[in-house]
Amino acid sequence: MAWRQKMSTLEKSQEKIRINGKQQMIDLLKFMENDERNKLLKNILMRNPIMGRELMEQSFTFSDFTELSDHAIVRALSYVTPTIIGIALKSASIKFQKRVLSLIDRTRAEEAFNYMQRPITNSMRDSQKAQEKIVGVAIALSRKKVINLAKFN
């Protein structure tokens, strides 16, 4: 009798546990190496284009943004203020900072550079928020087919 009661309790507790496979997949994709992630996303896109595109968008990071083409970066950053660009670049690699500042027009680059140089309290948090804003803009432009986020098309 006690065994049946324990089984009943176990079954009820299992009913309450829900596993979100999509969210787990997104988290997994964020931590995968780029080559492995791109290969997996390419296979998912071939089998289920809608799911593949959603996974690609939701696992897209600022690190992925840094690997986009110059054209895609310029297009995405044209929708972002120089203030946000400067704050986002504050924690980026020097190589990427130079790349971005050389791609955008001079007045916007100078303004972004000035914000990069300013001391900001909570600069890592603010930089991360600015990077998330840029990623959001890139994803929105990708949905409108203005830029392409996929590296394997």
Side-chain angles (χ1 to χ4, degrees):
M1 187 70 160
W3 179 79
R4 286 183 190 242
Q5 191 174 18
K6 286 181 182 179
M7 281 300 288
S8 176
T9 305
L10 181 63
E11 288 171 354
K12 287 178 184 176
S13 68
Q14 286 178 345
E15 290 174 10
K16 294 177 185 176
I17 298 173
R18 295 186 190 262
I19 297 175
N20 184 350
K22 190 187 308 182
Q23 186 58 48
Q24 289 176 330
M25 185 64 167
I26 291 165
D27 293 340
L28 180 67
L29 287 168
K30 285 182 179 180
F31 293 104
M32 291 177 81
E33 294 291 325
N34 283 342
D35 293 340
E36 293 172 349
R37 179 177 53 189
N38 291 340
K39 184 178 179 182
L40 181 59
L41 284 172
K42 184 178 181 179
N43 288 332
I44 293 171
L45 278 166
M46 288 188 319
R47 289 179 175 84
N48 187 340
I50 294 169
M51 174 69 78
R53 186 157 182 82
E54 186 177 339
L55 289 173
M56 181 176 57
E57 288 174 356
Q58 291 187 13
S59 66
F60 190 76
T61 64
F62 190 75
S63 176
D64 298 323
F65 180 79
T66 65
E67 296 177 13
L68 292 178
S69 68
D70 289 351
H71 172 73
I73 290 173
V74 169
R75 291 295 299 256
L77 293 181
S78 69
Y79 292 90
V80 179
T81 64
T83 307
I84 299 293
I85 295 170
I87 294 170
L89 290 177
K90 203 171 186 75
S91 64
S93 71
I94 293 173
K95 182 179 176 183
F96 185 66
Q97 290 174 356
K98 289 179 180 179
R99 180 178 171 209
V100 167
L101 294 176
S102 68
L103 289 173
I104 60 179
D105 70 87
R106 185 171 180 89
T107 55
R108 288 172 48 86
E110 288 174 351
E111 193 175 338
F113 182 76
N114 288 335
Y115 275 97
M116 283 173 54
Q117 300 305 313
R118 290 184 186 175
I120 301 174
T121 56
N122 299 319
S123 66
M124 285 305 288
R125 185 196 67 193
D126 293 342
S127 182
Q128 186 175 7
K129 283 184 177 182
Q131 289 175 355
E132 289 170 0
K133 169 76 173 165
I134 291 172
V135 166
V137 168
I139 290 169
L141 292 174
S142 172
R143 288 179 183 156
K144 294 179 181 179
K145 307 235 187 288
V146 175
I147 64 172
N148 186 9
L149 300 181
K151 298 176 212 133
F152 44 78
N153 282 349

